[in-house]
Structure formats: structure tokens, C-alpha cells
Amino acid sequence: VFGYYLYLKYGHLTHHKSLGDPKAASLEKLFDSSSKEFEDGDVLFVAHRMKLKGKVGPKFTVGGREITMSISKTGFNSWREDKPLWNAVVFATSFMYERFMLMINDVVVAITGRNYFFPNKPIEFHEECAKYCRCAVMVRGLLWKVAGWKSLLFLYLSETLWSIPPHPACAMFV
């Protein structure tokens, strides 16, 4: 519901294609790429829990300064060796925060027609992302209208809680 469209549409077939090779696929290359498809679909989705080689992205220019922002890498870089409880809390909070930000990004993309995290992607990429986001935002708005804000909270929690400790399925992610 929140963010998996990009992976399924543009990254599923390239999953693990170049993982571990920073020249072929890194967070920087993925966000800066002009290719419609992701160089390696997994790079974008393992950054919460795996030390990746290569530089980080995406980059934004704000006030003449270039800023590199990665919620998932910021969370992962806060992990501490031999501190599993700390790491579980950091993973859970950064993962849930990232998913919340993806919901906000869906609204931005739906309104503007562009995914600003991927500035160099071709127009077809942005058009498809905008179409998906407009549908997703419309469905969420309809759910809110019909079932109230708790329906969106339920979707958010049902997507995130199974992926984080202490849920046993989180072992796939941590």
C-alpha cells in the first residue's frame, strides 16, 4: 500500500541483480539514474537493515546546498553493535517513520505529477507514479470518508507491524 508499487513495478525483476556492487547499484545510483527501471530493486528496500556499499541518495538542493537524505540509512547507521533491543527500537521507529513519509510523498506525487526523489527518471516513470499515487490517494480518501480515519490507521499498522520486532515475521527483515 505504501511504497511497494515502485518496487513491484520497477524493481522486482532486477531484485538482487547487482546487490553488493556499488558501481552497478547503490542508493546514489538508484536515485540519480535516468533509467526507467531500477538497477537493482532490492537496494532501495534493504537499506533499513543492511550495510550497503557505495554512496547514499537521494540528493536535494536546498538554498544552494546539496543535501543527501535517507531515512532508512539514517536509522540503520544508528544501530549499535551488541545492542539488539536498541537496534530493534531504531529499526521499528525509522521503518514506521519512512512508511509515514511515503504516504505524504504519495500526496505530493499525486498533486505535482512528479516523484522528486527520482529527478532524472524519464517522464513515463513519473506519469506512472503519478497515476498510481492519484489512485492510492483517492482510495485512502474514500476509505476515510466511508470508514473514518481509523481505516487508514489500520492500513498503516497492518502494513508496518508485521515487519518490525517483536513480530516473528520481522526476522525476514532484521
Side-chain angles (χ1 to χ4, degrees):
V1 175
F2 307 115
Y4 292 110
Y5 171 78
L6 286 177
Y7 170 72
L8 293 174
K9 178 74 178 169
Y10 298 106
H12 183 66
L13 295 178
T14 60
H15 184 80
H16 293 310
K17 178 180 169 190
S18 303
L19 195 62
D21 182 357
K23 292 182 183 102
S26 67
L27 282 173
E28 179 185 53
K29 285 194 177 296
L30 189 88
F31 286 110
D32 289 346
S33 172
S34 59
S35 169
K36 186 176 176 182
E37 306 297 324
F38 290 151
E39 286 70 14
D40 187 316
D42 209 34
V43 170
L44 191 59
F45 299 98
V46 299
H48 316 83
R49 60 192 183 273
M50 185 173 159
K51 191 169 199 154
L52 296 173
K53 295 178 180 178
K55 294 185 179 181
V56 178
K59 295 177 190 152
F60 299 96
T61 303
V62 179
R65 285 183 39 214
E66 187 173 85
I67 297 171
T68 302
M69 181 186 86
S70 176
I71 296 167
S72 56
K73 287 299 292 173
T74 301
F76 182 76
N77 290 342
S78 298
W79 285 26
R80 297 182 188 154
E81 195 168 326
D82 298 322
K83 300 284 185 186
L85 186 58
W86 169 263
N87 297 342
V89 169
V90 168
F91 174 79
T93 54
S94 67
F95 185 80
M96 293 184 79
Y97 177 68
E98 182 185 55
R99 293 292 151 196
F100 181 75
M101 294 306 289
L102 285 171
M103 289 189 311
I104 292 171
N105 188 60
D106 280 356
V107 174
V108 170
V109 174
I111 292 169
T112 66
R114 236 178 128 65
N115 190 328
Y116 294 98
F117 288 105
F118 302 96
N120 302 319
K121 295 283 186 196
I123 191 68
E124 298 86 17
F125 175 89
H126 294 285
E127 288 171 348
E128 289 178 27
C129 283
K131 189 163 104 178
Y132 163 78
C133 289
R134 289 175 183 135
C135 290
V137 169
M138 189 171 61
V139 167
R140 290 181 206 142
L142 183 63
L143 281 171
W144 186 316
K145 183 173 176 62
V146 171
W149 65 270
K150 290 180 184 176
S151 62
L152 296 183
L153 178 62
F154 175 80
L155 278 177
Y156 173 72
L157 293 176
S158 64
E159 167 159 345
T160 55
L161 292 182
W162 68 273
S163 304
I164 59 176
H167 195 287
C170 79
M172 296 184 296
F173 297 101
V174 179

